[in-house]
Amino acid sequence: MAIKFEQVSFQYPSFDGKNFSALENINLEISDKGEFITLIGETGSGKSTLVQHMNALLRPNTGSVTIYGIKIEKNTNKNKKIKLNPLRQKVGLVFQFPEYQLFEETVLKDIIFGPKNFGVKEDEAIKRAKEVIKHVGLTEDYLGRSPFNLSGGEQKRVSIAGILAMEPDILVLDEPTSGLDPKGRDALLELFTNIHKKLNKTIIIITHDMNTVYKYASRVVVMHDAKLVYDGLPNMLFMDENIEKWNLDLPDIIGITKQLEAKLDITFTKKPHNVNELFELMKGVL
Amino acid sequence: MKNIIVGQYIPGKSFLYKMDPRSKILALFILMVSAFVFKDITHIIYMLLGVLVILKIGGIPIMRIARGLRPIMILLLFTFTFQVLFIKTGPVILDTVLTLTTINIGIMILAIVVWYYTRRYIKSKFFYMVLVIVGILTMLSLFTPGTVISSSNLTIYEDGLLGASFIMVRLIIIVTLSTILTLTTKPTDLNLGLERILKPLNLVKINSEEIALIISIALRYIPTLLDEANKIMLAQASRGVDFTEGKFKDKVMQIISLLVPMFIISFKRSDDLANAMEARSFVPGNKRTRIHILSWQSRDTLVIVFCLLVLTATVVVRVYL
Amino acid sequence: MNIIEITDLSFSYREDVDALHNVNLTIKKGEWISVLGHNGSGKSTLAKLIIGLLKADSGDIFVDGILLTEETVHEIRRKIGIVFQNPDNQFVGVTVEDDIAFGMENLNFDRLDMIKKIDEFSKKVNMNEYLKKEPHELSGGQKQRVAIAGILAMDTDIIIFDEATAMLDPKGRESIMEYIRELNKEGKTIITITHDMKEAVNSDRIIILKDGEVLAIGETNTILNDKETLNASNLELLLPLKLLYKLDEANIKNEKVKDILWQLSLNK
């Protein structure tokens, strides 16, 4: 296993003494052999805190996170022999807002910033930059431009390219599609699917969009009130009766299918995964 | 979710909390002037006692004040040493020769090393340090076996000691008084109080209301910006920036990688905020009514009268005694 | 009666490209109109022009019969409230109470009146228990509700929601949509700006912008039935609508099913 959480709990300290519990007793295993995981749950349920443990930005208060064989516990950092930095090359984390990381004069310089920090030679880093800029659906012309003159969607792509250029085995993205319009969102999700399939990397996405979960994920992890309450297949999740308790919506296709079945008082022979399948099923009934 | 407190305000119920911020600021000002009028060490010690009484009645834990004094401890110590060494009038109270010898220099270094590694286990670090310094000085003066390396005279005069103590007490009074103000007044109330007190400055074209609005927006955005800075740091750490190590050149790069996003985001923010304010009919320089008003009560008048009496008394003491 | 009239409005940030080109639009009093468009279609620019945060290159905007100029902009802003996208960047006050008061303070409301209104409108958006809270203690949805209360307190006739739900989670989004529906029922003229068709289906009319130009404008029912236009709009079709179009293409005429799908499209 590339990442293993064992009974991990984490609290944010607070000045008034009441600590805010963000993770409670989390057990989770993630492999780097091409998983496509979506991480869902309400705002404040601990999703972002969870992913920040995956590349050792945070250390658990109790329990341990093992990343590529290196065990991280509460006091790990005090022992300077253990270097946390190299782990961040293996598990690339892209934050929600590209504004948090873009700072160089050109897109090229920004993309090679990460690899160079991990000791990659400049010419090798540039070679990688030319490669990854295509992976994120932009052209080489962008490399010479300033990251601050790009549209929101393009900035997001550049920020992802900056992490991809580090050549991580696992790519973690915190709400990558928020704020994008449907076209931009779909393009980005297609891109992740490509990275997932072609480069055989594990992708972990935090999202609020159940359609994304249903359409793309091979595995879904649900957080609720700092606890991990579900870890399994998306299909099964949306049949779980707890889904309302966890404040999760149904994907459009499932919701509409259910409503159609109820209003027409019929049961379709199978569960459609997209609008075409649903249409075919309806044609059969009508 | 996360709880960030701006300023030092701690909630409480004593009369200090019920006072109008204006009267508190004025009282602070008057008492500070009084502290500067005094010339005599005994008088200022009486004033210190008075301040302690205020703390007691106001229900402010003395440890909070001590914590407020901590950052200026070094300054206090420096001023004290300076005064003691360089005022050379009045009767001599200590005259000794400090001698550095091959043996006691070793003990001195040993003491410093022991102090350095044990200080983290001692609760009151400041007194521990003073104790070590006094100990070393005593040794240099009394315990001098071995070959002499160098020696110098240490002479302390009464005026030096008194003068040093006087300045120290005065500084402690001033810091304590201002800490009382910040501990018992919310930053927003303090801001409002300052705005009202500075209102006469409008005559010389300084708009106190605008300054107050700027301060209040700054207060509102400090937690947001801190949170943002933290996230930027994590984002850059995810790209391999190791903030715990690196050579000078790396350090510069690390700081740039934090500052540039910080600036860009803040510019965007201020742009959005300006739009939001304008859209809600804000026009710089226009008159605004206010939801918060300050109410000056008889207790405030009483406090100010009392402070003025203190000031008068100090002037009388200064002139006639 | 038309509360907003926009004629031949054009605006550009840079010289070579128009962010908005020749927009004509009239909005009736009490109407709810949705401005739909993809990212960069010019929809937020339109909002900023209406409240005078940007100055049009050409064309006129009338609000309640008054032509928007530098002299009248303050008068016009008293008639229009706007909730922006980023909840954090429009929260001016140190506390919830201060923020609701901000607009009223600018308009020189009497203090006692302000206190009454803060009470009334914080209750209306269900934030009355948070009056002394500071923004970093609130969720995005709660901050947007505070913004709504601040606008209601200023008692503007028109409220613009400029992608006010875009940065919220589904729960926060639904609560804001709920308030929008309610405010419209109470007689406010509402303009919602969004790229999400789900948020537009309950409005009276829809205007679709594409690359700075008006692609279509009309009654919501008409627009939703206009397959060609919607396909050209770069927007995502609602799933029941897609089905409806497919049934049409396959020439299946089952009125009952069509009616159900139509109702589902309208979120009913």
Side-chain angles (χ1 to χ4, degrees):
Chain A
M1 277 303 137
I3 303 177
K4 188 172 184 185
F5 283 71
E6 284 170 294
Q7 293 170 357
V8 170
S9 296
F10 183 81
Q11 293 97 31
Y12 284 104
S14 163
F15 287 95
D16 56 7
K18 282 176 279 172
N19 286 352
F20 175 79
S21 178
L23 296 178
E24 284 171 25
N25 197 22
I26 305 287
N27 291 291
L28 178 67
E29 287 186 15
I30 292 159
S31 103
D32 57 1
K33 299 281 178 288
E35 287 196 86
F36 198 119
I37 303 173
T38 49
L39 177 54
I40 58 178
E42 287 174 280
T43 307
S45 59
K47 306 183 297 288
S48 292
T49 312
L50 185 71
V51 296
Q52 285 173 16
H53 278 82
M54 292 181 184
N55 70 346
L57 287 177
L58 295 175
R59 280 168 282 125
N61 287 138
T62 57
S64 69
V65 182
T66 309
I67 308 168
Y68 285 96
I70 292 177
K71 193 170 189 175
I72 292 154
E73 287 166 306
K74 192 180 180 191
N75 292 323
T76 300
N77 215 23
K78 297 222 169 96
N79 180 358
K80 290 268 180 177
K81 275 178 210 150
I82 297 176
K83 293 265 181 237
L84 299 179
N85 212 18
L87 298 177
R88 293 174 191 152
Q89 182 269 318
K90 296 230 176 228
V91 184
L93 174 57
V94 185
F95 276 70
Q96 182 175 2
F97 299 105
E99 293 92 330
Y100 286 165
Q101 69 175 68
L102 301 179
F103 77 101
E104 283 281 14
E105 302 148 61
T106 64
V107 170
L108 176 73
K109 279 192 180 176
D110 215 285
I111 294 178
I112 65 173
F113 178 70
K116 276 169 68 186
N117 282 330
F118 293 113
V120 175
K121 292 251 159 39
E122 177 129 359
D123 43 347
E124 162 67 13
I126 292 174
K127 222 172 79 193
R128 286 190 192 177
K130 287 179 178 164
E131 192 67 28
V132 292
I133 197 80
K134 284 180 217 145
H135 283 310
V136 296
L138 299 174
T139 56
E140 272 189 38
D141 311 339
Y142 277 87
L143 291 176
R145 292 173 61 178
S146 159
F148 304 113
N149 289 335
L150 304 176
S151 75
E154 288 166 339
Q155 284 192 341
K156 209 154 243 179
R157 283 158 192 261
V158 171
S159 70
I160 295 166
I163 302 293
L164 272 183
M166 290 157 30
E167 302 194 336
D169 295 327
I170 298 176
L171 184 63
V172 188
L173 303 115
D174 192 347
E175 295 197 40
T177 55
S178 72
L180 296 180
D181 62 9
K183 280 264 152 68
R185 182 198 62 211
D186 288 347
L188 212 55
L189 285 166
E190 284 307 321
L191 198 127
F192 299 147
T193 317
N194 273 335
I195 293 169
H196 165 64
K197 285 192 181 135
K198 282 192 194 147
L199 308 177
N200 199 32
K201 291 186 195 299
T202 285
I203 305 266
I204 302 172
I205 292 180
I206 294 184
T207 182
H208 286 293
D209 182 21
M210 296 307 135
N211 297 329
T212 303
V213 176
Y214 195 57
K215 192 169 170 195
Y216 295 95
S218 64
R219 176 178 166 192
V220 57
V221 174
V222 182
M223 293 292 294
H224 180 70
D225 271 349
K227 292 178 202 69
L228 196 156
V229 291
Y230 182 91
D231 181 0
L233 296 172
N235 283 347
M236 306 296 286
L237 169 68
F238 296 115
M239 291 200 281
D240 199 306
E241 57 213 17
N242 282 316
I243 190 152
E244 244 169 73
K245 194 177 94 192
W246 300 331
N247 272 317
L248 300 175
D249 297 327
L250 287 176
D252 287 344
I253 185 77
I254 294 183
I256 296 292
T257 307
K258 275 194 174 167
Q259 279 176 301
L260 273 175
E261 286 181 332
K263 289 196 174 171
L264 290 169
D265 199 20
I266 50 170
T267 318
F268 293 124
T269 45
K270 55 175 194 168
K271 298 213 175 305
H273 274 83
N274 54 47
V275 67
N276 287 332
E277 285 181 28
L278 178 56
F279 176 64
E280 291 305 322
L281 286 170
M282 281 179 71
K283 251 188 357 193
V285 180
L286 294 176
Chain B
M1 278 199 293
K2 266 173 276 175
N3 201 350
I4 302 163
I5 296 166
V6 181
Q8 298 179 295
Y9 177 78
I10 43 168
K13 283 203 167 64
S14 72
F15 79 101
L16 287 171
Y17 288 90
K18 295 192 184 105
M19 275 170 69
D20 187 311
R22 284 172 297 184
S23 65
K24 273 194 268 191
I25 296 169
L26 279 178
L28 172 70
F29 182 72
I30 297 170
L31 291 179
M32 273 195 184
V33 172
S34 309
F36 275 95
V37 172
F38 279 125
K39 254 300 190 262
D40 189 280
I41 176 83
T42 41
H43 297 150
I44 204 147
I45 284 178
Y46 283 130
M47 183 161 184
L48 182 64
L49 291 176
V51 171
L52 289 177
V53 172
I54 297 177
L55 283 181
K56 184 73 198 153
I57 304 173
I60 295 169
I62 207 141
M63 278 318 290
R64 285 298 302 223
I65 301 289
R67 221 187 295 171
L69 282 171
R70 200 183 291 156
I72 63 155
M73 272 299 185
I74 296 298
L75 179 75
L76 284 178
L77 205 65
F78 183 77
T79 330
F80 188 82
T81 318
F82 196 80
Q83 291 278 331
V84 165
L85 293 182
F86 291 94
I87 297 180
K88 295 190 183 297
T89 54
V92 174
I93 48 171
L94 178 74
D95 189 7
T96 180
V97 182
L98 297 182
T99 316
L100 213 52
T101 68
T102 42
I103 291 178
N104 71 15
I105 197 173
I107 301 174
M108 183 171 100
I109 291 169
L110 186 73
I112 291 173
V113 169
V114 169
W115 165 77
Y116 187 81
Y117 283 103
T118 54
R119 64 185 175 149
R120 75 184 61 170
Y121 305 109
I122 306 292
K123 214 168 174 202
S124 119
K125 295 181 177 57
F126 180 73
F127 289 106
Y128 187 43
M129 186 174 78
V130 172
L131 193 73
V132 171
I133 292 172
V134 171
I136 289 175
L137 288 178
T138 315
M139 178 187 71
L140 292 184
S141 140
L142 301 176
F143 181 70
T144 54
T147 327
V148 174
I149 298 172
S150 78
S151 68
S152 59
N153 282 326
L154 175 68
T155 320
I156 295 176
Y157 298 84
E158 194 181 273
D159 284 4
L161 196 64
L162 289 180
S165 312
F166 177 79
I167 287 182
M168 202 146 111
V169 173
R170 185 144 84 187
L171 272 173
I172 289 176
I173 288 177
I174 289 167
V175 173
T176 307
L177 286 174
S178 15
T179 314
I180 292 178
L181 178 69
T182 50
L183 279 179
T184 61
T185 321
K186 284 184 194 150
T188 41
D189 290 340
L190 199 57
N191 189 23
L192 199 62
L194 272 174
E195 174 192 336
R196 298 294 150 88
I197 285 178
L198 295 180
K199 208 154 196 176
L201 286 181
N202 289 8
L203 291 175
V204 287
K205 298 269 183 233
I206 296 172
N207 190 336
S208 65
E209 289 184 9
E210 253 172 62
I211 297 172
L213 184 66
I214 292 168
I215 295 175
S216 110
I217 289 175
L219 284 174
R220 177 254 173 275
Y221 276 98
I222 286 170
T224 315
L225 291 177
L226 283 178
D227 190 43
E228 204 122 72
N230 181 43
K231 280 189 188 144
I232 293 169
M233 213 153 120
L234 292 176
Q236 300 300 26
S238 298
R239 295 210 289 168
V241 177
D242 192 342
F243 290 98
T244 56
E245 31 194 276
K247 294 186 279 289
F248 178 72
K249 193 174 153 257
D250 300 333
K251 282 267 178 261
V252 172
M253 201 60 177
Q254 290 171 3
I255 290 169
I256 291 174
S257 76
L258 284 185
L259 284 184
V260 173
M262 210 56 209
F263 271 108
I264 303 258
I265 292 173
S266 301
F267 281 137
K268 167 93 176 88
R269 231 182 237 300
S270 57
D271 200 36
D272 280 2
L273 189 67
N275 276 340
M277 287 169 71
E278 267 195 69
R280 282 157 82 184
S281 290
F282 175 74
V283 182
N286 273 16
K287 184 181 168 290
R288 306 176 68 225
T289 49
R290 302 300 288 274
I291 178 81
H292 293 295
I293 52 161
L294 299 171
S295 65
W296 186 284
Q297 310 206 327
S298 49
R299 91 161 64 80
D300 296 298
T301 317
L302 214 68
V303 168
I304 294 300
V305 168
F306 175 76
C307 290
L308 285 173
L309 283 178
V310 171
L311 180 64
T312 323
T314 56
V315 172
V316 170
V317 165
R318 169 79 183 267
V319 176
Y320 294 102
L321 291 177
Chain C
M1 186 201 146
N2 290 333
I3 195 158
I4 293 182
E5 273 189 50
I6 295 170
T7 48
D8 299 330
L9 189 70
S10 290
F11 176 82
S12 60
Y13 290 100
R14 289 178 297 151
E15 273 182 20
D16 44 338
V17 234
D18 270 6
L20 275 182
H21 185 70
N22 256 346
V23 173
N24 287 285
L25 174 67
T26 55
I27 299 172
K28 286 193 270 300
K29 199 171 163 57
E31 191 178 28
W32 174 4
I33 186 159
S34 297
V35 183
L36 266 173
H38 58 90
N39 279 6
S41 61
K43 52 193 194 306
S44 288
T45 307
L46 180 63
K48 286 196 179 132
L49 285 166
I50 294 176
I51 53 165
L53 289 173
L54 294 173
K55 205 170 158 291
D57 296 338
S58 61
D60 291 329
I61 298 171
F62 291 89
V63 178
D64 218 0
I66 305 164
L67 175 67
L68 175 68
T69 62
E70 254 164 65
E71 285 75 43
T72 59
V73 65
H74 299 304
E75 195 184 344
I76 282 175
R77 283 183 190 154
R78 289 181 178 221
K79 299 175 187 294
I80 309 176
I82 179 163
V83 183
F84 292 98
Q85 176 177 15
N86 191 326
D88 246 319
N89 294 2
Q90 57 186 318
F91 201 108
V92 187
V94 176
T95 61
V96 168
E97 174 183 60
D98 290 5
D99 193 65
I100 298 177
F102 181 75
M104 293 191 283
E105 290 179 329
N106 295 332
L107 296 177
N108 292 327
F109 277 44
D110 175 67
R111 180 169 171 269
L112 293 176
D113 194 24
M114 284 199 252
I115 292 171
K116 226 178 72 199
K117 288 214 154 80
I118 289 172
D119 181 59
E120 179 184 349
F121 293 109
S122 63
K123 275 187 187 137
K124 170 119 192 155
V125 297
N126 226 339
M127 288 297 289
N128 50 322
E129 277 165 30
Y130 297 84
L131 285 182
K132 299 284 175 202
K133 293 272 183 215
E134 296 178 18
H136 60 267
E137 300 172 280
L138 307 176
S139 73
Q142 288 174 325
K143 279 178 231 177
Q144 295 298 65
R145 271 147 60 191
V146 173
I148 294 176
I151 286 164
L152 291 177
M154 291 163 73
D155 197 25
T156 61
D157 297 329
I158 307 161
I159 307 179
I160 304 177
F161 291 86
D162 183 2
E163 301 200 62
T165 61
M167 291 178 76
L168 306 182
D169 62 6
K171 215 167 108 192
R173 195 169 297 187
E174 191 32 55
S175 92
I176 299 299
M177 289 315 292
E178 202 56 57
Y179 286 114
I180 293 177
R181 281 189 277 268
E182 198 179 315
L183 292 173
N184 181 237
K185 273 198 197 111
E186 289 166 11
K188 298 273 184 197
T189 308
I190 305 275
I191 304 173
T192 48
I193 291 170
T194 176
H195 56 238
D196 189 350
M197 209 175 279
K198 246 184 217 163
E199 294 186 357
V201 291
N202 293 134
S203 58
D204 302 315
R205 276 197 302 154
I206 292 177
I207 169 169
I208 300 181
L209 291 181
K210 190 191 177 191
D211 301 325
E213 307 215 20
V214 178
L215 184 72
I217 180 166
E219 303 277 319
T220 302
N221 287 2
T222 322
I223 296 282
L224 292 184
N225 277 315
D226 186 352
K227 193 167 62 181
E228 279 74 36
T229 308
L230 287 185
N231 281 333
S233 68
N234 261 349
L235 294 163
E236 188 181 48
L237 289 185
L238 295 169
L239 205 141
L241 266 190
K242 276 191 203 163
L243 273 176
L244 205 58
Y245 293 168
K246 276 182 180 294
L247 289 175
D248 266 347
E249 275 166 30
N251 227 348
I252 297 172
K253 291 199 172 64
N254 183 326
E255 290 309 318
K256 189 184 169 202
V257 172
K258 277 190 175 179
D259 190 53
I260 290 170
L261 287 174
W262 183 249
Q263 294 300 327
L264 287 176
S265 304
L266 297 181
N267 219 354
K268 280 174 189 161

